[in-house]
Amino acid sequence: MPTITLALWPLALALLIVGPLLGGGYLLLRDAVSAPRSFFTDAALGVSDSAPRAVPQDVLVAALSSVLDGGIVVKAVLVLALWAAGAGASAMVGVLLPARGLGLRAAGLAGRLTASTLAVWNPFVAERLLQGHWSLLTGYAALPWLVWAGVRMRSAPAAGIGVTLLALALAGLTPTGAVLAVIVALVVAALPGGWRRAVRVAVIVAGFAAVAAPWLITAAMAAPGSTSDPAGVDAFAARAEPHLGTLGSLAGLGGIWNSQALPPSRTGAGALIGTLILLALVACGVRGLWRRRAHPVIAAVVVLAVLAVVLPALGATAPGLAAARWAVENVPGAGLFRDAQKWVALAMPGYTLAAALEVRALSRLPRRLPGIRARVVRDHRENRRAAAQKVRGSVGAYAAAAAISSAVLIAALPSLAWGVGGALQPAHYPQGWDRVAAIVDSAPSDGAMATLPAGSFRDFAWTRGPVLDPAPRYFRTDVLVTGDLLVGDTTVGGEGTRARDTEEALLAGAAPAVLAHEGVRWVLVQHGTPGTLGDSAATLAQAEQVYSDPDVSLYRIPGPVAATGSTSADRGLAWAGHALWLAAAVTGAALTGGAALRQRMRLPQRA
């Protein structure tokens, strides 16, 4: 029963959060884009002229959406990620704070349930959901599992290595997730004690190299010295929420750069109240963490949590921003670290440990519970009833403390429930999108698609807010996007040089031959969304209109189109990188399954 409870509780929380999405339709909100079917395009493989930010995520979705509707795939991954975050926090607490004795066993269950609640129900999860970072949450969910695996690797190498590789692979759906995961895994593996430390570290390094291969290889194929727009450093710096300041916002697991990606209950005084409640709960467990500071893994997890709050706060200061701008301008790949708030995810394992110990402090458990059992042995007849009553009272106190703590965490962020204040609602594509897809997909694949209006984001009446242009994930052909982002009044330039040249040609009303030279066969005009069209009507008047309705219009560029884009060698290398990621995931799953099977076969023998 405790095992079932620990598994079902985070699942219930996850379903409470994403409930509105569970019907038909697609997740379309800011960076989250799902479509009925995705394809193995150059952008999905990471070999377009934009940075490979969504590999191997897009390849995985393309593969799964060939047998399942893509909307179901994304929603299933999101639910599993939220569940895994809570289940992982519970498992981590179980291995780092093992229960001893009858009363403490009840405390272990209560503490693990509270840790599970905090892992799922916090501002970081809410803000990343509103930003559309569903795949980043898989990396977030992997963190406590990597701590668990790092501890298990010392006594049960096969199980520990298996979970480590599997967690690294799942976290590695995005580059950020892979980096978050390897930080935690290396910190725990490098600590002294147990099975060979050098081997543990080697396993982590090799696992990271495999799961990061899809974007490491494609990034290496990019133009030498490719860097990101330094304007993104200021735009994506951690943000101070109302009444909190930057440090307070980060300490409360909030502070995302986008002020529009805030749950309703985190606006105004709600941010201050919710943060104080969360920090008060965590503070109640600090004494317990201090008493266990000799445990190297607990100490490392706590230090990591502190650094995860302090370093992004320092990064938002003038010197920190200046240093980051220099790095982004001069170090290829440094743009990965521009979104400073996302690194606060590393605080989650430490916070959940503190929450588990908070239950012990709140319950006011008698300090010397083992003495109760000793008195039972010394005077069995006289003291058995009284001791049992005290133990039952302790069990009840732990249960009450867990219930109160979880209720307080949920009450501190009530708008996370049911779609983060209703923002997570399924969207439905107009029929014109399917009709355009039928035309484009049935034609010879001899050119890419450009889209209008200019810009990377759309805001349709049929979506719940701004969303990345869905076209790159909806159509079989490659869709050119600049990757430019408008953050407030600042435009952060993307890496899509070919897409930018095409967009500028369209806005200038250039002849269709200019687009053909860029390898463009199709132009899709999306109606009902803000954006600049410039003089594109002059270009489109010379093209062939093959479809039009109130939602979309499709134009075909006549004549021969230049062969541009990636080469077969580039795609082959990209597929090799994805094969390494898949190999790490399969190896991890096989080792984990084999270890679980061996453990299950040994149980009857011990009984």
Side-chain angles (χ1 to χ4, degrees), residues 592-607:
T592 301
L597 181 61
R598 287 192 297 272
Q599 177 68 19
R600 189 170 183 177
M601 293 176 63
R602 282 197 294 263
L603 288 177
Q605 299 176 4
R606 293 179 179 177

Side-chain angles (χ1 to χ4, degrees), residues 476-583:
R476 189 185 300 273
T477 190
D478 280 299
V479 179
L480 304 181
V481 290
T482 62
D484 293 349
L485 300 176
L486 182 63
V487 183
D489 297 328
T490 302
T491 298
V492 181
E495 300 84 6
T497 54
R498 178 185 169 206
R500 184 170 294 103
D501 292 341
T502 300
E503 184 179 273
E504 291 174 353
L506 273 170
L507 297 181
V514 177
L515 300 185
H517 178 72
E518 295 291 344
V520 174
R521 172 63 73 191
W522 308 98
V523 177
L524 180 72
V525 182
Q526 302 171 31
H527 306 305
T529 179
T532 301
L533 294 173
D535 295 326
S536 59
T539 304
L540 299 179
Q542 304 174 63
E544 177 190 358
Q545 185 180 78
V546 294
Y547 180 82
S548 184
D549 69 15
D551 297 300
V552 289
S553 296
L554 180 66
Y555 296 82
R556 183 178 184 275
I557 302 300
V561 170
T564 57
S566 64
T567 65
S568 298
D570 291 341
R571 292 175 67 88
L573 287 173
W575 276 117
H578 284 79
L580 288 172
W581 173 83
L582 182 61

Side-chain angles (χ1 to χ4, degrees), residues 305-527:
V306 173
L307 293 176
V309 171
V310 173
L311 292 182
L314 291 175
T317 63
L321 292 172
R325 282 192 294 268
W326 179 90
V328 166
E329 286 183 300
N330 295 280
V331 181
L336 178 65
F337 298 89
R338 292 184 304 184
D339 184 353
Q341 190 268 349
K342 64 189 175 185
W343 306 105
V344 82
L346 296 169
M348 185 264 279
Y351 274 47
T352 53
L353 277 180
L357 290 170
E358 172 269 342
V359 170
R360 180 172 300 180
L362 186 62
S363 67
R364 296 181 180 179
L365 182 70
R367 294 183 178 181
R368 298 187 63 184
L369 184 60
I372 296 176
R373 299 183 67 186
R375 288 194 297 273
V376 172
V377 174
R378 289 196 302 267
D379 197 350
H380 181 74
R381 293 183 179 180
E382 295 182 6
N383 291 339
R384 185 174 63 176
R385 182 176 299 176
Q389 289 176 348
K390 287 186 178 182
V391 170
R392 284 196 298 271
S394 298
V395 172
Y398 272 113
I404 292 171
S405 300
S406 294
V408 165
L409 285 169
I410 294 172
L413 190 57
S415 58
L416 181 53
W418 210 246
V420 198
L424 295 182
Q425 296 284 346
H428 299 270
Y429 287 94
Q431 291 183 349
W433 284 73
D434 279 342
R435 292 168 182 166
V436 168
I439 295 171
V440 173
D441 293 349
S442 63
S445 181
D446 63 345
M449 175 186 286
T451 66
L452 289 170
S456 301
F457 271 81
R458 303 289 183 248
D459 195 355
F460 301 107
W462 44 273
T463 59
R464 296 286 298 183
V467 62
L468 275 175
D469 188 347
R473 290 180 172 87
Y474 203 97
F475 302 111
R476 189 185 300 273
T477 190
D478 280 299
V479 179
L480 304 181
V481 290
T482 62
D484 293 349
L485 300 176
L486 182 63
V487 183
D489 297 328
T490 302
T491 298
V492 181
E495 300 84 6
T497 54
R498 178 185 169 206
R500 184 170 294 103
D501 292 341
T502 300
E503 184 179 273
E504 291 174 353
L506 273 170
L507 297 181
V514 177
L515 300 185
H517 178 72
E518 295 291 344
V520 174
R521 172 63 73 191
W522 308 98
V523 177
L524 180 72
V525 182
Q526 302 171 31
H527 306 305

Side-chain angles (χ1 to χ4, degrees), residues 116-132:
S116 186
T117 303
L118 191 149
V120 178
W121 208 279
N122 63 66
F124 182 89
V125 170
E127 293 174 2
R128 290 298 159 174
L129 285 173
L130 290 178
Q131 189 57 38

